[in-house]
Amino acid sequence: MAGYNVAPLSRLVEQFERLPGIGSKTAQRLAYFVLNMPKAQAQEFSRAIIDAHEKIRRCEVCCNFSDEELCPVCRSDRRDSTTVCVVETPRDAVAIEGTGEYRGVYHVLHGVISPLNGIGPDQLTVKELLARLNTGEVTEVIMATNPTVEGEATAMYLSRLLKPLGIRTTRLAYGIPVGGDLEYADDITLARALEGRSEL
Amino acid sequence: MAGYNVAPLSRLVEQFERLPGIGSKTAQRLAYFVLNMPKAQAQEFSRAIIDAHEKIRRCEVCCNFSDEELCPVCRSDRRDSTTVCVVETPRDAVAIEGTGEYRGVYHVLHGVISPLNGIGPDQLTVKELLARLNTGEVTEVIMATNPTVEGEATAMYLSRLLKPLGIRTTRLAYGIPVGGDLEYADDITLARALEGRSEL
């Protein structure tokens, strides 16, 4: 169908189609929406894409996205820098920030160890993590990788690496999601919830 | 959650949030995806937005989007310019082109008559349609507005306007969608399908 559109429009549709979870119908809808935007708004959108690429770099401490040398969390003096939460992606850090419960700092791996995809510790920010931990300030590392095979393997790998440093290594709790239904929980989650039960 | 993101990233998230059907979680996902694109690809995306705005205008005959004076359909000599299909939006024309069954040309209204939203015939391309029809070349006008109250009202309005010109005015058939289930068809559609029944 895109073939019928005039060239500049097809190109915009194609750009939207490249985005994850956007099919050809949605891409069409978005492209037409952008076309019908006031020109100033379209320019703003276009600019935001370039700006994000040009102005965002990695925080020199935690490797999260940042627009300065240090990210907002690392440069804040209200955060507890003795606790480091290790996450796979910046979005995971955003999710944890969303709880409003975490006062420590982060370390963003930018991926997980995945031999099948050719991703080893060297492709992640493991070196940076070790450098940070060697300063002796950190007392606890919370592994908050995803509960997938690769996420778990990465957490295991890192915890083994940290053992000699004598730093406490913890992991997020597994269990039934709040508001979830026992009946619909999968076996493994249920088994983990039993295993991790606590006193009432 | 966007508050935690660094400024250039939040701005990009906001841009995505403005798009129809994109919620805050999806906007985050798309913004991070764009950030992780190779730089050249991001520049291409940014450029496509600006290009669509700068290079696309309305076809001087049918008012569809075009990158030249005439759109690809109007400038093609393989189309039957005696039949004009009136649609609400360029996307509707794309949908009809998708069937591969239509050989006539289009006329894009760029909306429907909607007194509640302050849209009358003057805000649409009705004037352009009448100018086209007055040349005497057109023998049939197919009303392909959407089967909504406003779409139907617009089709009725136009057909009354065309009556004095002596041009045949038709309308797309209503009925059960192919592959649909009688049981789940709504009453009005079913009534229209009965009304429009044809000989076997």
Side-chain angles (χ1 to χ4, degrees):
Chain A
M1 289 202 337
Y4 167 65
N5 284 320
V6 290
L9 191 54
S10 321
R11 278 199 300 272
L12 187 56
V13 171
E14 274 163 34
Q15 292 297 331
F16 278 114
E17 277 174 348
R18 287 181 175 185
L19 302 179
I22 305 283
S24 71
K25 285 257 176 182
T26 308
Q28 284 257 358
R29 192 161 45 93
L30 296 180
Y32 279 106
F33 182 85
V34 168
L35 197 56
N36 286 323
M37 275 180 180
K39 195 166 182 181
Q41 206 174 315
Q43 281 166 338
E44 218 179 294
F45 189 5
S46 169
R47 191 70 235 159
I49 292 171
I50 294 296
D51 273 0
H53 262 260
E54 284 178 356
K55 298 192 180 156
I56 293 178
R57 47 179 172 166
R58 289 187 180 181
C59 167
E60 297 196 352
V61 173
C62 74
C63 303
N64 201 344
F65 289 140
S66 178
D67 51 350
E68 296 182 32
E69 229 170 82
L70 294 182
C71 75
V73 170
C74 288
R75 67 178 181 254
S76 163
D77 52 8
R78 302 174 59 188
R79 307 292 298 224
D80 168 15
S81 57
T82 64
T83 308
V84 172
C85 179
V86 175
V87 292
E88 292 179 20
T89 66
R91 290 172 63 202
D92 296 327
V94 172
I96 293 175
E97 279 301 281
T99 67
E101 297 283 333
Y102 183 63
R103 292 282 132 238
V105 292
Y106 294 94
H107 191 84
V108 180
L109 293 174
H110 288 285
V112 272
I113 296 173
S114 168
L116 279 178
N117 298 313
I119 297 173
D122 293 347
Q123 274 77 51
L124 306 178
T125 61
V126 173
K127 210 170 63 227
E128 289 85 345
L129 177 63
L130 291 178
R132 254 178 112 168
L133 299 180
N134 275 326
T135 63
E137 197 197 359
V138 178
T139 56
E140 179 177 357
V141 172
I142 304 171
M143 295 294 169
T145 52
N146 283 310
T148 57
V149 174
E150 291 172 339
E152 301 236 338
T154 306
M156 285 306 294
Y157 171 85
L158 290 178
S159 66
R160 232 171 285 156
L161 218 58
L162 303 188
K163 198 142 263 174
L165 301 176
I167 296 170
R168 186 178 168 217
T169 310
T170 56
R171 197 189 59 184
L172 289 188
Y174 291 119
I176 321 286
V178 179
D181 202 321
L182 271 196
E183 202 178 334
Y184 297 115
D186 63 289
D187 295 346
I188 299 175
T189 302
L190 215 47
R192 295 290 179 89
L194 264 175
E195 199 181 302
R197 68 192 179 277
S198 59
E199 299 289 336
L200 270 181
Chain B
M1 283 196 353
Y4 169 65
N5 284 321
V6 289
L9 191 54
S10 320
R11 278 200 297 273
L12 187 57
V13 172
E14 275 164 33
Q15 293 297 331
F16 277 115
E17 278 176 347
R18 287 181 177 186
L19 302 178
I22 306 283
S24 69
K25 286 256 176 183
T26 308
Q28 285 256 0
R29 191 161 47 93
L30 297 179
Y32 279 106
F33 183 85
V34 168
L35 197 56
N36 286 322
M37 276 179 178
K39 195 167 181 177
Q41 206 174 315
Q43 281 167 337
E44 217 180 292
F45 189 6
S46 169
R47 189 73 235 155
I49 292 172
I50 294 293
D51 273 1
H53 261 260
E54 284 177 356
K55 296 192 181 154
I56 293 176
R57 47 179 172 166
R58 288 186 178 182
C59 167
E60 298 197 351
V61 173
C62 74
C63 303
N64 201 345
F65 290 139
S66 177
D67 52 351
E68 296 183 33
E69 228 169 85
L70 295 182
C71 74
V73 171
C74 288
R75 65 177 182 253
S76 163
D77 51 10
R78 301 174 60 189
R79 306 293 297 225
D80 167 16
S81 57
T82 65
T83 307
V84 173
C85 180
V86 175
V87 293
E88 291 178 21
T89 67
R91 292 172 61 201
D92 297 328
V94 173
I96 292 174
E97 279 302 282
T99 67
E101 296 284 334
Y102 183 64
R103 291 281 133 242
V105 292
Y106 294 95
H107 191 84
V108 180
L109 294 174
H110 288 286
V112 272
I113 296 173
S114 169
L116 279 177
N117 298 313
I119 297 172
D122 293 347
Q123 275 77 51
L124 307 177
T125 62
V126 173
K127 210 170 62 228
E128 289 84 345
L129 176 63
L130 290 178
R132 255 178 112 169
L133 300 181
N134 275 325
T135 63
E137 196 195 359
V138 178
T139 56
E140 178 178 359
V141 173
I142 304 172
M143 295 295 168
T145 52
N146 283 311
T148 57
V149 174
E150 291 170 340
E152 301 234 338
T154 306
M156 284 306 295
Y157 171 84
L158 291 177
S159 68
R160 231 171 285 157
L161 217 59
L162 304 189
K163 197 140 266 174
L165 302 176
I167 296 168
R168 186 177 168 218
T169 311
T170 56
R171 196 190 59 185
L172 290 188
Y174 291 119
I176 321 285
V178 178
D181 201 322
L182 271 196
E183 202 178 333
Y184 296 113
D186 63 287
D187 296 344
I188 299 175
T189 302
L190 215 49
R192 294 290 179 89
L194 262 174
E195 199 181 301
R197 68 192 180 278
S198 59
E199 298 292 333
L200 269 180

